[in-house]
Amino acid sequence: LGISPVSYLVDVRLKHAASLIYHSHSSNMTVHELCEASGFGDDRYFMKRFKEKYGMTVKEYKNDCEKQNAAFFKTIHDE
């Protein structure tokens, strides 16, 4: 794989957090709740790693997902 087991696990957990935000109403979850739900024990470490992976903060990611979802549902509604 070329990555350490710890790096792989962190990546899986970050993808899970991103999925929680994007695919559900988890955008209302706090950073701490997302952190816990994704298996991280430290909010600061979670936020740092999230920004490293996605190039934006959790809040920015939530806002981006909300905009994408709103645009999608507007498209469906307009059809």
Side-chain angles (χ1 to χ4, degrees):
L1 290 174
I3 62 171
S4 72
V6 172
S7 294
Y8 176 77
L9 183 58
V10 167
D11 189 60
V12 168
R13 289 176 175 174
L14 290 170
K15 287 177 182 176
H16 179 67
S19 179
L20 284 174
I21 295 168
Y22 188 81
H23 292 293
S24 69
H25 300 289
S26 298
S27 60
N28 295 328
M29 293 175 77
T30 66
V31 169
H32 182 73
E33 290 169 333
L34 282 168
C35 178
E36 286 186 335
S38 302
F40 287 92
D42 183 310
D43 294 4
R44 288 182 188 174
Y45 179 72
F46 167 69
M47 291 185 296
K48 177 184 175 187
R49 296 303 301 262
F50 192 94
K51 187 168 185 176
E52 287 174 0
K53 179 164 182 64
Y54 294 104
M56 60 183 84
T57 65
V58 173
K59 184 176 181 177
E60 291 167 337
Y61 190 84
K62 285 181 182 183
N63 290 339
D64 191 51
C65 289
E66 287 172 3
K67 287 177 189 174
Q68 288 180 22
N69 287 336
F72 174 75
F73 286 115
K74 183 180 182 325
T75 302
I76 291 173
H77 184 270
D78 290 345
E79 290 182 347

